[in-house]
Amino acid sequence: VGRRATKRQGIERAAIRLFAAKGLAATTIRDIATEAGVGEGALYRHWPGKAEMAWDLYCREVEAFSRAFEPVLAGNGRPLDKRLLAAVRFIYRRYRDGPDRLAFVLLARAGFPQQQILDKKIDPDQVVVRFLEREMDRGTLPKGDAFFRMSLLRGIVLQPVLMHRYGRLKTDPLRLARPVARACMAVLRQREDNPR
Amino acid sequence: VGRRATKRQGIERAAIRLFAAKGLAATTIRDIATEAGVGEGALYRHWPGKAEMAWDLYCREVEAFSRAFEPVLAGNGRPLDKRLLAAVRFIYRRYRDGPDRLAFVLLARAGFPQQQILDKKIDPDQVVVRFLEREMDRGTLPKGDAFFRMSLLRGIVLQPVLMHRYGRLKTDPLRLARPVARACMAVLRQREDNPR
DNA sequence: TGTACATCAGTGAACGCGCGTTCACTGATGTAC
DNA sequence: TGTACATCAGTGAACGCGCGTTCACTGATGTAC
Protein backbone atom coordinates (compact mmCIF):
# COMPACT_ATOMS: atom_id res chain seq x y z
CA VAL A 1 0.00 0.00 0.00
CA GLY A 2 1.01 3.62 -0.55
CA ARG A 3 4.07 3.16 -2.70
CA ARG A 4 3.46 6.65 -4.09
CA ALA A 5 5.68 9.65 -3.42
CA THR A 6 8.64 7.57 -2.31
CA LYS A 7 11.18 10.18 -3.38
CA ARG A 8 9.62 13.06 -1.54
CA GLN A 9 11.46 12.31 1.69
CA GLY A 10 14.75 12.18 -0.14
CA ILE A 11 14.08 15.58 -1.68
CA GLU A 12 13.18 17.03 1.71
CA ARG A 13 16.31 15.71 3.37
CA ALA A 14 18.54 16.98 0.57
CA ALA A 15 16.82 20.37 0.51
CA ILE A 16 17.10 20.93 4.24
CA ARG A 17 20.74 19.95 4.25
CA LEU A 18 21.59 22.23 1.35
CA PHE A 19 19.47 25.20 2.49
CA ALA A 20 21.14 24.95 5.87
CA ALA A 21 24.67 24.57 4.53
CA LYS A 22 24.66 27.05 1.65
CA GLY A 23 21.70 29.28 2.34
CA LEU A 24 18.44 29.63 0.49
CA ALA A 25 19.58 31.79 -2.41
CA ALA A 26 22.75 29.82 -3.09
CA THR A 27 20.93 26.49 -3.27
CA THR A 28 19.52 25.66 -6.69
CA ILE A 29 16.81 23.27 -7.76
CA ARG A 30 19.44 21.27 -9.60
CA ASP A 31 21.58 21.03 -6.44
CA ILE A 32 18.66 19.55 -4.57
CA ALA A 33 17.61 17.23 -7.40
CA THR A 34 21.17 15.95 -7.86
CA GLU A 35 21.72 15.31 -4.16
CA ALA A 36 18.37 13.56 -3.91
CA GLY A 37 19.05 11.51 -7.04
CA VAL A 38 15.97 12.83 -8.76
CA GLY A 39 14.98 14.81 -11.86
CA GLU A 40 14.45 18.55 -11.54
CA GLY A 41 10.76 18.24 -12.29
CA ALA A 42 10.07 15.93 -9.35
CA LEU A 43 10.06 18.86 -6.97
CA TYR A 44 7.10 20.47 -8.70
CA ARG A 45 4.93 17.45 -8.01
CA HIS A 46 5.01 18.31 -4.30
CA TRP A 47 5.38 22.08 -4.10
CA PRO A 48 4.37 24.96 -6.40
CA GLY A 49 7.95 26.20 -6.49
CA LYS A 50 11.26 26.61 -4.71
CA ALA A 51 10.10 29.41 -2.41
CA GLU A 52 7.09 27.49 -1.13
CA MET A 53 9.16 24.39 -0.52
CA ALA A 54 11.79 26.35 1.39
CA TRP A 55 9.18 28.00 3.60
CA ASP A 56 7.44 24.69 4.19
CA LEU A 57 10.64 22.97 5.30
CA TYR A 58 11.70 26.00 7.34
CA CYS A 59 8.44 25.96 9.30
CA ARG A 60 8.78 22.27 9.93
CA GLU A 61 12.35 22.62 11.25
CA VAL A 62 11.42 25.58 13.40
CA GLU A 63 8.49 23.73 14.88
CA ALA A 64 10.64 20.73 15.74
CA PHE A 65 13.10 23.03 17.47
CA SER A 66 10.51 24.92 19.48
CA ARG A 67 8.75 21.75 20.56
CA ALA A 68 11.98 20.49 22.11
CA PHE A 69 13.07 23.88 23.40
CA GLU A 70 9.94 25.00 25.25
CA PRO A 71 10.05 22.28 27.97
CA VAL A 72 13.70 23.13 28.70
CA LEU A 73 12.70 26.71 29.51
CA ALA A 74 9.64 25.63 31.47
CA GLY A 75 11.77 23.12 33.42
CA ASN A 76 9.36 21.87 36.09
CA GLY A 77 10.08 23.71 39.31
CA ARG A 78 13.81 24.24 38.84
CA PRO A 79 15.23 27.66 39.71
CA LEU A 80 15.41 30.25 36.96
CA ASP A 81 19.18 30.38 36.54
CA LYS A 82 19.41 26.59 36.14
CA ARG A 83 16.75 26.63 33.47
CA LEU A 84 18.46 29.45 31.60
CA LEU A 85 21.73 27.56 31.65
CA ALA A 86 19.97 24.43 30.43
CA ALA A 87 18.39 26.43 27.62
CA VAL A 88 21.70 27.89 26.48
CA ARG A 89 23.29 24.44 26.64
CA PHE A 90 20.40 23.01 24.67
CA ILE A 91 20.98 25.50 21.86
CA TYR A 92 24.76 25.14 21.83
CA ARG A 93 24.56 21.35 21.91
CA ARG A 94 22.20 21.37 18.98
CA TYR A 95 24.64 23.68 17.23
CA ARG A 96 27.54 21.31 17.87
CA ASP A 97 25.56 18.32 16.65
CA GLY A 98 24.44 20.07 13.47
CA PRO A 99 25.73 23.60 12.95
CA ASP A 100 24.01 24.09 9.61
CA ARG A 101 20.67 22.91 10.86
CA LEU A 102 20.68 25.09 13.97
CA ALA A 103 21.75 28.06 11.88
CA PHE A 104 18.95 27.35 9.43
CA VAL A 105 16.37 27.36 12.20
CA LEU A 106 17.58 30.39 14.14
CA LEU A 107 19.32 32.57 11.57
CA ALA A 108 17.70 31.96 8.19
CA ARG A 109 14.66 34.14 8.61
CA ALA A 110 16.44 36.96 6.80
CA GLY A 111 16.45 34.85 3.65
CA PHE A 112 12.66 34.86 3.35
CA PRO A 113 10.49 37.77 2.24
CA GLN A 114 9.58 39.99 5.15
CA GLN A 115 5.86 39.44 4.78
CA GLN A 116 6.23 35.74 5.57
CA ILE A 117 5.41 35.47 9.23
CA LEU A 118 5.97 32.46 11.45
CA ASP A 119 3.06 31.13 13.46
CA LYS A 120 3.34 32.53 16.99
CA LYS A 121 3.09 29.06 18.47
CA ILE A 122 6.08 27.90 16.46
CA ASP A 123 8.33 30.97 16.54
CA PRO A 124 11.26 30.36 18.96
CA ASP A 125 11.37 34.09 19.74
CA GLN A 126 7.75 33.97 20.85
CA VAL A 127 8.51 30.91 22.96
CA VAL A 128 11.05 33.00 24.85
CA VAL A 129 8.68 35.96 25.08
CA ARG A 130 5.99 33.77 26.63
CA PHE A 131 8.55 32.32 29.03
CA LEU A 132 9.60 35.80 30.15
CA GLU A 133 6.00 36.95 30.62
CA ARG A 134 5.29 33.89 32.73
CA GLU A 135 8.29 34.56 34.95
CA MET A 136 7.32 38.21 35.34
CA ASP A 137 3.82 37.18 36.41
CA ARG A 138 5.27 34.79 38.95
CA GLY A 139 7.48 37.57 40.29
CA THR A 140 10.65 35.67 39.46
CA LEU A 141 11.69 38.57 37.23
CA PRO A 142 11.14 42.33 37.53
CA LYS A 143 8.38 43.62 35.23
CA GLY A 144 9.42 45.01 31.87
CA ASP A 145 9.07 44.74 28.12
CA ALA A 146 9.26 41.02 27.35
CA PHE A 147 9.96 41.46 23.66
CA PHE A 148 12.80 43.89 24.24
CA ARG A 149 14.35 41.55 26.79
CA MET A 150 14.02 38.62 24.43
CA SER A 151 15.94 40.65 21.86
CA LEU A 152 18.79 41.13 24.30
CA LEU A 153 18.87 37.44 25.20
CA ARG A 154 18.74 36.47 21.55
CA GLY A 155 21.69 38.73 20.84
CA ILE A 156 23.74 37.42 23.73
CA VAL A 157 23.12 33.75 23.05
CA LEU A 158 23.35 33.73 19.26
CA GLN A 159 26.23 36.11 18.69
CA PRO A 160 28.83 33.54 19.83
CA VAL A 161 27.21 31.01 17.50
CA LEU A 162 27.51 33.45 14.61
CA MET A 163 31.11 34.24 15.48
CA HIS A 164 31.99 30.55 15.69
CA ARG A 165 30.22 29.81 12.43
CA TYR A 166 32.17 32.50 10.62
CA GLY A 167 35.40 31.14 12.04
CA ARG A 168 36.14 34.18 14.14
CA LEU A 169 35.57 32.51 17.50
CA LYS A 170 37.62 29.36 18.01
CA THR A 171 36.16 28.19 21.32
CA ASP A 172 33.38 25.61 21.18
CA PRO A 173 30.26 27.57 22.17
CA LEU A 174 29.27 24.79 24.57
CA ARG A 175 32.24 25.72 26.73
CA LEU A 176 30.89 29.26 26.88
CA ALA A 177 27.41 28.22 28.00
CA ARG A 178 27.96 29.11 31.66
CA PRO A 179 29.25 32.67 31.20
CA VAL A 180 26.65 33.28 28.50
CA ALA A 181 23.86 32.10 30.79
CA ARG A 182 25.22 34.30 33.56
CA ALA A 183 25.23 37.27 31.20
CA CYS A 184 21.59 36.52 30.44
CA MET A 185 20.74 36.48 34.14
CA ALA A 186 22.60 39.75 34.69
CA VAL A 187 20.55 41.41 31.97
CA LEU A 188 17.25 39.97 33.17
CA ARG A 189 17.70 40.98 36.78
CA GLN A 190 17.82 44.68 35.92
CA ARG A 191 14.84 46.82 36.84
CA GLU A 192 12.96 49.48 34.89
CA ASP A 193 14.60 48.51 31.63
CA ASN A 194 11.79 49.84 29.49
CA PRO A 195 11.50 53.60 29.03
CA ARG A 196 7.92 53.61 27.69
CA VAL B 1 41.77 70.78 -14.37
CA GLY B 2 40.81 67.15 -13.71
CA ARG B 3 37.43 67.04 -15.37
CA ARG B 4 37.89 63.30 -15.75
CA ALA B 5 35.88 60.66 -13.91
CA THR B 6 33.10 63.03 -12.99
CA LYS B 7 30.48 60.29 -12.83
CA ARG B 8 32.41 58.06 -10.48
CA GLN B 9 31.09 59.82 -7.37
CA GLY B 10 27.54 59.45 -8.62
CA ILE B 11 28.07 55.73 -9.12
CA GLU B 12 29.53 55.38 -5.64
CA ARG B 13 26.67 57.21 -4.00
CA ALA B 14 24.06 55.18 -5.88
CA ALA B 15 25.84 51.90 -5.18
CA ILE B 16 26.18 52.53 -1.45
CA ARG B 17 22.56 53.53 -1.16
CA LEU B 18 21.33 50.48 -3.05
CA PHE B 19 23.68 47.98 -1.43
CA ALA B 20 22.59 49.28 1.94
CA ALA B 21 18.89 49.31 1.14
CA LYS B 22 18.48 46.09 -0.81
CA GLY B 23 21.57 44.11 0.03
CA LEU B 24 24.52 43.12 -2.11
CA ALA B 25 22.98 40.22 -3.99
CA ALA B 26 19.68 41.95 -4.72
CA THR B 27 21.35 45.02 -6.20
CA THR B 28 22.17 44.73 -9.89
CA ILE B 29 24.61 46.60 -12.05
CA ARG B 30 21.67 48.02 -13.96
CA ASP B 31 20.05 49.25 -10.75
CA ILE B 32 23.19 51.16 -9.89
CA ALA B 33 23.70 52.48 -13.41
CA THR B 34 20.10 53.65 -13.67
CA GLU B 35 20.11 55.39 -10.30
CA ALA B 36 23.41 57.08 -11.12
CA GLY B 37 22.16 58.09 -14.57
CA VAL B 38 24.97 56.22 -16.30
CA GLY B 39 25.50 53.37 -18.75
CA GLU B 40 26.19 49.91 -17.39
CA GLY B 41 29.70 49.89 -18.79
CA ALA B 42 30.79 52.97 -16.84
CA LEU B 43 31.25 50.90 -13.71
CA TYR B 44 33.95 48.79 -15.33
CA ARG B 45 36.13 51.83 -15.95
CA HIS B 46 36.68 52.14 -12.21
CA TRP B 47 36.44 48.59 -10.82
CA PRO B 48 37.13 45.14 -12.26
CA GLY B 49 33.62 43.99 -11.38
CA LYS B 50 30.67 44.24 -9.05
CA ALA B 51 32.26 42.25 -6.23
CA GLU B 52 35.38 44.40 -6.10
CA MET B 53 33.36 47.59 -6.15
CA ALA B 54 31.12 46.38 -3.34
CA TRP B 55 34.09 45.42 -1.17
CA ASP B 56 35.83 48.72 -1.92
CA LEU B 57 32.80 50.77 -0.88
CA TYR B 58 32.18 48.54 2.12
CA CYS B 59 35.71 49.11 3.42
CA ARG B 60 35.37 52.83 2.92
CA GLU B 61 32.08 52.98 4.82
CA VAL B 62 33.41 50.81 7.62
CA GLU B 63 36.50 52.96 7.98
CA ALA B 64 34.43 56.15 8.19
CA PHE B 65 32.34 54.55 10.91
CA SER B 66 35.27 53.32 12.97
CA ARG B 67 37.08 56.63 12.73
CA ALA B 68 34.11 58.38 14.30
CA PHE B 69 33.32 55.58 16.73
CA GLU B 70 36.72 55.02 18.32
CA PRO B 71 36.97 58.45 20.06
CA VAL B 72 33.51 57.96 21.57
CA LEU B 73 34.71 54.79 23.29
CA ALA B 74 38.01 56.36 24.30
CA GLY B 75 36.14 59.41 25.69
CA ASN B 76 38.89 61.35 27.46
CA GLY B 77 38.73 60.61 31.16
CA ARG B 78 34.99 60.07 31.44
CA PRO B 79 33.80 57.12 33.54
CA LEU B 80 33.27 53.80 31.77
CA ASP B 81 29.48 53.64 32.01
CA LYS B 82 29.10 57.12 30.53
CA ARG B 83 31.32 56.18 27.62
CA LEU B 84 29.40 52.98 26.97
CA LEU B 85 26.12 54.87 26.97
CA ALA B 86 27.61 57.42 24.58
CA ALA B 87 28.79 54.60 22.30
CA VAL B 88 25.37 52.95 22.22
CA ARG B 89 23.74 56.30 21.55
CA PHE B 90 26.25 56.99 18.80
CA ILE B 91 25.29 53.77 17.02
CA TYR B 92 21.56 54.19 17.48
CA ARG B 93 21.66 57.81 16.37
CA ARG B 94 23.53 56.81 13.23
CA TYR B 95 20.92 54.16 12.70
CA ARG B 96 18.09 56.67 13.05
CA ASP B 97 19.78 59.09 10.64
CA GLY B 98 20.44 56.42 8.04
CA PRO B 99 19.17 52.94 8.84
CA ASP B 100 20.36 51.39 5.59
CA ARG B 101 23.81 52.82 5.87
CA LEU B 102 24.35 51.69 9.47
CA ALA B 103 23.04 48.26 8.60
CA PHE B 104 25.39 48.10 5.64
CA VAL B 105 28.37 48.88 7.83
CA LEU B 106 27.56 46.64 10.76
CA LEU B 107 25.48 43.82 9.31
CA ALA B 108 26.53 43.30 5.68
CA ARG B 109 29.66 41.27 6.27
CA ALA B 110 27.68 38.07 5.74
CA GLY B 111 27.13 39.10 2.13
CA PHE B 112 30.82 38.91 1.26
CA PRO B 113 32.86 35.75 0.76
CA GLN B 114 34.27 34.52 4.02
CA GLN B 115 37.86 34.84 2.94
CA GLN B 116 37.54 38.61 2.60
CA ILE B 117 38.93 39.98 5.82
CA LEU B 118 38.66 43.53 7.07
CA ASP B 119 41.82 45.34 8.08
CA LYS B 120 42.14 45.13 11.87
CA LYS B 121 42.51 48.87 12.14
CA ILE B 122 39.22 49.44 10.35
CA ASP B 123 37.08 46.61 11.74
CA PRO B 124 34.58 47.98 14.28
CA ASP B 125 34.68 44.70 16.19
CA GLN B 126 38.43 45.08 16.64
CA VAL B 127 37.92 48.65 17.78
CA VAL B 128 35.77 47.32 20.59
CA VAL B 129 38.22 44.52 21.37
CA ARG B 130 41.07 47.03 21.72
CA PHE B 131 38.87 49.20 23.92
CA LEU B 132 38.10 46.27 26.23
CA GLU B 133 41.77 45.26 26.45
CA ARG B 134 42.71 48.80 27.37
CA GLU B 135 40.10 48.90 30.12
CA MET B 136 41.21 45.54 31.46
CA ASP B 137 44.81 46.76 31.59
CA ARG B 138 43.71 49.86 33.47
CA GLY B 139 41.81 47.69 35.94
CA THR B 140 38.50 49.33 35.06
CA LEU B 141 37.20 45.91 34.05
CA PRO B 142 37.88 42.41 35.40
CA LYS B 143 40.27 40.39 33.23
CA GLY B 144 38.75 38.06 30.66
CA ASP B 145 38.53 37.14 26.99
CA ALA B 146 38.12 40.43 25.16
CA PHE B 147 36.87 38.89 21.93
CA PHE B 148 34.21 36.83 23.66
CA ARG B 149 33.02 39.87 25.57
CA MET B 150 32.92 41.92 22.41
CA SER B 151 30.66 39.24 20.91
CA LEU B 152 28.24 39.61 23.78
CA LEU B 153 28.22 43.39 23.50
CA ARG B 154 27.74 43.18 19.77
CA GLY B 155 24.78 40.90 20.25
CA ILE B 156 23.17 43.08 22.88
CA VAL B 157 23.58 46.34 21.01
CA LEU B 158 22.77 45.19 17.48
CA GLN B 159 19.89 42.83 18.13
CA PRO B 160 17.43 45.66 18.82
CA VAL B 161 18.61 47.32 15.61
CA LEU B 162 17.92 44.12 13.68
CA MET B 163 14.53 43.73 15.30
CA HIS B 164 13.61 47.31 14.51
CA ARG B 165 14.81 46.97 10.95
CA TYR B 166 12.68 43.91 10.38
CA GLY B 167 9.69 45.74 11.79
CA ARG B 168 9.36 43.49 14.81
CA LEU B 169 10.40 46.09 17.37
CA LYS B 170 8.36 49.30 17.20
CA THR B 171 10.29 51.41 19.72
CA ASP B 172 12.95 53.75 18.34
CA PRO B 173 16.24 52.11 19.39
CA LEU B 174 17.52 55.49 20.63
CA ARG B 175 14.93 55.33 23.41
CA LEU B 176 16.41 51.99 24.44
CA ALA B 177 19.99 53.26 24.62
CA ARG B 178 20.03 53.55 28.41
CA PRO B 179 18.78 50.05 29.28
CA VAL B 180 20.94 48.58 26.53
CA ALA B 181 24.01 50.35 27.88
CA ARG B 182 23.16 49.13 31.36
CA ALA B 183 22.85 45.59 30.07
CA CYS B 184 26.33 45.96 28.58
CA MET B 185 27.74 47.13 31.89
CA ALA B 186 26.07 44.25 33.71
CA VAL B 187 27.71 41.78 31.35
CA LEU B 188 31.11 43.43 31.51
CA ARG B 189 31.25 43.61 35.29
CA GLN B 190 31.09 39.84 35.64
CA ARG B 191 34.23 38.01 36.72
CA GLU B 192 35.84 34.81 35.43
CA ASP B 193 33.74 34.79 32.30
CA ASN B 194 36.21 32.77 30.26
CA PRO B 195 36.48 29.05 30.93
CA ARG B 196 39.82 28.55 29.13
C1' DT C 1 49.67 79.00 -30.43
C1' DG C 2 48.35 75.37 -33.43
C1' DT C 3 48.22 70.58 -34.84
C1' DA C 4 48.46 65.47 -34.44
C1' DC C 5 48.07 61.92 -31.54
C1' DA C 6 47.29 59.30 -27.09
C1' DT C 7 44.52 58.56 -23.22
C1' DC C 8 40.59 57.54 -20.85
C1' DA C 9 35.67 57.93 -19.00
C1' DG C 10 31.53 56.71 -20.76
C1' DT C 11 27.92 54.22 -24.00
C1' DG C 12 24.58 50.54 -24.72
C1' DA C 13 23.64 46.59 -27.67
C1' DA C 14 25.04 42.01 -27.41
C1' DC C 15 26.90 37.80 -25.19
C1' DG C 16 27.06 33.78 -22.25
C1' DC C 17 25.53 31.68 -18.34
C1' DG C 18 22.81 29.83 -14.64
C1' DC C 19 18.66 29.98 -12.73
C1' DG C 20 13.48 28.56 -11.78
C1' DT C 21 10.03 26.65 -14.27
C1' DT C 22 7.40 24.17 -17.97
C1' DC C 23 5.73 20.37 -20.60
C1' DA C 24 5.07 16.31 -23.35
C1' DC C 25 5.90 11.94 -22.02
C1' DT C 26 6.52 7.36 -19.16
C1' DG C 27 5.24 3.84 -16.19
C1' DA C 28 3.55 2.18 -12.01
C1' DT C 29 -0.43 2.16 -9.01
C1' DG C 30 -5.34 2.76 -7.84
C1' DT C 31 -10.33 2.38 -9.27
C1' DA C 32 -14.78 0.95 -11.76
C1' DC C 33 -17.28 -2.58 -13.81
C1' DT D 1 -10.55 -12.21 -11.09
C1' DG D 2 -9.77 -9.74 -15.30
C1' DT D 3 -9.90 -5.64 -18.11
C1' DA D 4 -10.09 -0.66 -19.29
C1' DC D 5 -9.28 3.56 -17.71
C1' DA D 6 -7.82 7.37 -14.46
C1' DT D 7 -4.44 9.11 -11.47
C1' DC D 8 -0.20 10.66 -10.18
C1' DA D 9 5.00 10.69 -9.11
C1' DG D 10 8.75 11.19 -11.79
C1' DT D 11 11.75 12.46 -16.17
C1' DG D 12 14.85 15.67 -18.47
C1' DA D 13 15.24 18.51 -22.59
C1' DA D 14 13.80 23.01 -23.53
C1' DC D 15 12.24 27.75 -22.42
C1' DG D 16 12.45 32.48 -20.86
C1' DC D 17 14.53 35.62 -18.04
C1' DG D 18 17.77 38.44 -15.57
C1' DC D 19 22.18 38.76 -14.38
C1' DG D 20 27.38 40.27 -14.76
C1' DT D 21 30.33 41.27 -18.23
C1' DT D 22 32.28 42.44 -22.88
C1' DC D 23 33.40 45.25 -26.75
C1' DA D 24 33.49 48.28 -30.66
C1' DC D 25 32.74 52.83 -30.59
C1' DT D 26 32.42 58.08 -29.19
C1' DG D 27 34.00 62.32 -27.64
C1' DA D 28 36.28 65.13 -24.47
C1' DT D 29 40.70 66.00 -22.30
C1' DG D 30 45.72 65.74 -21.84
C1' DT D 31 50.39 65.67 -24.17
C1' DA D 32 54.35 66.25 -27.66
C1' DC D 33 56.36 68.99 -31.06
Side-chain angles (χ1 to χ4, degrees):
Chain A
V1 290
R3 268 285 159 269
R4 294 197 167 178
T6 51
K7 305 206 169 182
R8 175 170 179 150
Q9 264 203 20
I11 296 175
E12 291 175 356
R13 255 194 289 269
I16 287 178
R17 206 194 68 75
L18 288 167
F19 284 148
K22 313 203 301 174
L24 296 173
T27 301
T28 69
I29 295 292
R30 281 166 185 83
D31 286 340
I32 299 171
T34 302
E35 173 142 338
V38 147
E40 298 116 48
L43 199 146
Y44 294 87
R45 298 296 152 200
H46 302 286
W47 298 274
K50 183 193 176 189
E52 289 82 2
M53 178 182 69
W55 182 251
D56 183 28
L57 298 181
Y58 176 66
C59 287
R60 198 182 310 181
E61 287 293 296
V62 164
E63 183 169 10
F65 175 87
S66 289
R67 244 199 249 287
F69 183 56
E70 192 150 25
V72 178
L73 274 180
N76 46 2
R78 300 172 69 199
L80 184 60
D81 56 340
K82 302 272 183 197
R83 279 181 285 150
L84 258 180
L85 178 59
V88 173
R89 282 210 175 115
F90 174 86
I91 293 172
Y92 288 175
R93 198 172 299 123
R94 241 176 143 91
Y95 173 70
R96 198 188 51 186
D97 294 345
D100 293 336
R101 199 172 176 200
L102 190 278
F104 182 53
V105 168
L106 293 183
L107 303 168
R109 186 177 306 201
F112 292 101
Q114 259 184 267
Q115 42 185 0
Q116 298 259 43
I117 294 178
L118 271 179
D119 186 345
K120 279 208 169 192
K121 286 172 188 159
I122 288 177
D123 187 350
D125 289 350
Q126 291 297 329
V127 169
V128 174
V129 166
R130 286 197 294 274
F131 155 75
L132 291 174
E133 284 169 348
R134 217 179 312 124
E135 297 299 320
M136 285 171 4
D137 281 350
R138 278 193 206 167
T140 335
L141 283 178
K143 303 274 184 195
D145 183 338
F147 189 88
F148 169 60
R149 287 183 177 182
M150 179 278 289
S151 298
L152 296 184
L153 295 190
R154 194 187 147 96
I156 293 173
V157 175
L158 292 187
Q159 197 67 41
V161 169
L162 266 174
M163 290 289 184
H164 186 270
R165 194 168 161 74
Y166 279 88
R168 306 215 290 141
L169 186 72
K170 302 301 177 192
T171 325
D172 176 7
L174 248 185
R175 303 194 60 210
L176 300 172
R178 197 175 292 272
V180 165
R182 250 189 302 121
C184 290
M185 276 306 293
V187 166
L188 287 182
R189 265 199 281 261
Q190 290 190 134
R191 305 199 164 269
E192 50 160 338
D193 57 7
N194 181 11
R196 277 188 225 158
Chain B
V1 289
R3 269 284 159 269
R4 294 196 167 180
T6 50
K7 305 206 168 180
R8 175 170 177 147
Q9 264 204 18
I11 296 175
E12 291 175 356
R13 256 194 286 269
I16 287 178
R17 205 194 69 74
L18 287 168
F19 283 147
K22 311 204 300 173
L24 297 172
T27 301
T28 70
I29 295 292
R30 281 167 185 82
D31 285 340
I32 299 170
T34 302
E35 173 143 337
V38 146
E40 299 117 46
L43 199 145
Y44 295 87
R45 299 295 152 200
H46 301 286
W47 298 275
K50 183 194 176 189
E52 289 81 1
M53 179 183 68
W55 182 251
D56 182 29
L57 298 181
Y58 176 66
C59 287
R60 198 183 310 180
E61 287 292 298
V62 164
E63 183 170 10
F65 175 87
S66 289
R67 245 199 249 287
F69 184 56
E70 193 149 25
V72 178
L73 275 180
N76 45 2
R78 300 172 68 201
L80 184 60
D81 56 339
K82 301 274 183 197
R83 278 181 287 150
L84 259 180
L85 177 58
V88 173
R89 282 211 173 112
F90 174 86
I91 293 172
Y92 289 175
R93 198 172 299 122
R94 241 175 143 91
Y95 173 69
R96 198 188 49 186
D97 293 347
D100 293 336
R101 199 173 175 198
L102 191 277
F104 182 54
V105 168
L106 293 183
L107 303 168
R109 187 178 306 200
F112 293 102
Q114 260 185 265
Q115 42 185 1
Q116 298 258 43
I117 295 178
L118 270 179
D119 186 345
K120 280 208 169 192
K121 286 170 190 159
I122 287 176
D123 186 350
D125 289 350
Q126 292 297 328
V127 169
V128 174
V129 166
R130 286 197 293 275
F131 155 74
L132 291 174
E133 284 169 346
R134 217 179 312 124
E135 297 298 322
M136 286 172 0
D137 281 349
R138 277 192 206 167
T140 335
L141 284 177
K143 302 274 183 195
D145 184 338
F147 189 87
F148 169 59
R149 287 183 177 181
M150 178 277 289
S151 299
L152 297 184
L153 296 189
R154 195 187 146 93
I156 293 173
V157 175
L158 292 187
Q159 197 67 42
V161 169
L162 266 174
M163 289 291 185
H164 187 270
R165 194 167 162 74
Y166 279 88
R168 306 215 290 140
L169 185 72
K170 304 299 179 193
T171 326
D172 176 6
L174 248 185
R175 303 195 61 209
L176 301 171
R178 197 175 290 273
V180 165
R182 250 186 304 119
C184 290
M185 276 306 293
V187 166
L188 287 181
R189 265 199 279 260
Q190 291 190 136
R191 305 200 164 268
E192 51 160 338
D193 58 5
N194 181 12
R196 279 190 223 154

